[in-house]
Amino acid sequence: MGSGPGGEITRADVETAVLSPAARRRVTPYARRLARELGIDPGSVTPRDGEVVRAADVRAADGESGSRAAVATRPRPRPRARRQRPTRRPGRGPCGRPSPG
């Protein structure tokens, strides 16, 4: 909705949107998803490095707002067990049969 008559978007609205610091700010995909899940506007988050909004910045902004939304996190995968090679008995060939000779 613009500030012009009847809610029209004016040139001033476009210039304000284009020149605002939040419009130029880059957001990592994970930070964008996290912000959406927490209900935070990524444009309102101030990045620590001044350029790119990261997930830590979104978490910090969530801590400041005081909301504690449940975030679905993926559990860490369990490491796969290494498959042990069968041990050979002495005097036997690779198939378990007595070796020739």
Side-chain angles (χ1 to χ4, degrees), residues 55-99:
D57 302 326
V58 174
R59 285 190 200 98
D62 181 49
E64 292 169 4
S65 67
S67 68
R68 289 286 159 208
V71 178
T73 58
R74 246 189 245 176
R76 294 180 78 186
R78 291 177 39 190
R80 296 178 76 183
R82 281 193 158 167
R83 188 173 165 189
Q84 292 185 349
R85 299 165 94 194
T87 57
R88 287 196 214 166
R89 295 189 303 187
R92 301 271 176 173
C95 297
R97 298 186 186 131
S99 41

Side-chain angles (χ1 to χ4, degrees), residues 42-64:
S44 66
V45 177
T46 304
R48 291 182 199 174
D49 64 1
E51 293 181 13
V52 181
V53 175
R54 302 186 189 284
D57 302 326
V58 174
R59 285 190 200 98
D62 181 49
E64 292 169 4

